[in-house]
Amino acid sequence: MRFNSHRTHGAMLAVVAVAAAATLAGCSSGSDPDAVTIRVAMGSSGDAVDQGFEVLKEEYEAKYPGRTVEIIIQEDDVYQTTGLATLLSSREAPDAYFEWSGPRMRGHVADGDGADISDALQGELFAGRFDENAFNNMDVDGSGIYMVPWTGDVTNVVWYDVDVFDDLGLDVPATWDEYLEANQAILDAGLLPMVEGNKDQWPVGSIASHIVSRMVGEEQYAAVMDGDAPMNSPEMVAALEKLAELTPFVNPSINALADDEAMTQFFLQKAVTHQIGSWLMADAGENAGDLNFDYFNLPAFTDGAGDQESVLGISTGFMVNEKSAYPQETLEFLALLADEDGTKMWAEAGLAPMTIDPFKGVDADPRTVALAEMMGTASALVAPADSGHDIEIAAAFYDAAASVIGGTATPQEAADTAQSRIDSAN
């Protein structure tokens, strides 16, 4: 979802949400002309976060008698692909909806589904909640702000089983070569080094985004993903060759397994490492059991042209539908999302809120705090290809990454195929 942020929980949620959307009849209109119902849509972020929105609903309805909030939660992969689009085109679209900053957000604005909420964010409702950096990449061509910031997601780190590392005498690798050596030692011990669920392609796409940016440099990476440089240059092929070096260490089912299933296998200690984003912490509280786990950032490439301490990450937030009949009422709900109590709730659920001093008074997991600090102090913050750049180019790139890590194409073949696809679309 990345939001995930890229997160999934339960087909039942999708069924409920789709059924609700199918029975709705323009934005938040109803048979009672005095009734105010606002609808808020999102993909599931795990039970603790999903339940947090029910808490906000109850608080809002108590604060504003006569108003009702309908929370629409879909299975995350459904939401990212067809779910949100279907909701926005329905007879009664959501008044507010979760989205990632960047191209997806700008696409909604171009479609007339995103309101400029700059004035509200500078007003009393959100006074003192955000600093200016929170709004990065939430504008369109330098003007307007189109999201209420929610969380900052580190999109790719290596989560690892601390006990297995200790038992095998492995240190946290500082370089890519050390990382490969650690994976080989794990494999030699009869264990699966790495589990990934790339059914929807963004998980390995995120890994590949980070590798490529580190190898070719941030500017060249952006140029490729924006269509200003070729996908199949020697530098890009060399970067994909680094990704191919992981193939012996991943689960054979990588391109058939869903991301939530891969995370579950890591929690169940079926594999020693798992590359995914910071939202793992939101699931860990209920699903990690006794697993002793920690994380490290992508190890450095000694031959890389980019910033070897870069962080792959993106901000998330909630957009207000331009077509909403109740924009003020919707903003008043979103203000609860970002107030001190809301911030505390998200931090305790394992998220990294983008408000000022998000962990104040919170007994937050040190890993969650460290992830937020890593993102906030990054010397270079890089967006995944599908979140910060051209969507069609990102799709071609993610296809290439899937074929490389799945062993069905060489890096050169995958890059050539991706470039041909990009050329055909232009």
Side-chain angles (χ1 to χ4, degrees), residues 202-285:
W202 62 262
V204 171
S206 292
I207 297 170
S209 295
H210 208 179
I211 290 173
V212 168
S213 68
R214 289 274 189 92
M215 284 296 295
V216 306
E218 294 77 30
E219 290 186 7
Q220 183 67 10
Y221 163 75
V224 172
M225 299 308 158
D226 290 336
D228 298 325
M231 184 71 69
N232 58 348
S233 67
E235 295 80 10
M236 284 294 296
V237 172
L240 288 174
E241 286 172 351
K242 299 294 186 181
L243 179 66
E245 291 176 345
L246 295 178
T247 300
F249 307 120
V250 300
N251 48 304
S253 62
I254 185 167
N255 285 324
L257 194 68
D259 59 286
D260 60 328
E261 295 172 326
M263 187 181 293
T264 296
Q265 289 195 18
F266 174 66
F267 288 150
L268 293 174
Q269 298 175 273
K270 303 295 185 181
V272 179
T273 72
H274 178 48
Q275 287 199 45
I276 203 72
S278 55
W279 55 89
L280 176 141
M281 289 301 301
D283 291 271

Side-chain angles (χ1 to χ4, degrees), residues 112-137:
D113 295 322
D116 182 350
I117 56 174
S118 305
D119 291 343
L121 289 167
Q122 295 170 5
E124 183 178 351
L125 272 178
F126 298 94
R129 300 310 300 149
F130 304 106
D131 64 32
E132 288 302 314
N133 290 335
F135 304 115
N136 287 344
N137 216 24

Side-chain angles (χ1 to χ4, degrees), residues 171-183 299:
D171 295 323
V172 170
T175 67
W176 185 256
D177 288 343
E178 291 174 0
Y179 180 46
L180 296 179
E181 291 169 1
N183 279 312

Side-chain angles (χ1 to χ4, degrees), residues 35 52 84 138 144 146 212 228 276 294 306 337 347 349 351 359 381 384:
L84 177 58
M138 294 185 178
Y146 294 87
V212 168
D228 298 325
I276 203 72
D294 207 341
L337 185 89
L351 303 182
F359 300 106
L381 185 62

Side-chain angles (χ1 to χ4, degrees), residues 39-42 79 84 88 94-99 105 108-109 113-114 147 317-321:
R39 295 175 175 85
V40 183
M42 68 203 76
Y79 182 83
L84 177 58
L88 288 173
D95 299 275
Y97 53 96
F98 170 89
E99 194 50 277
M105 180 208 74
H108 294 311
V109 175
D113 295 322
M147 302 183 84
F318 280 80
M319 301 184 68
V320 175
N321 197 327

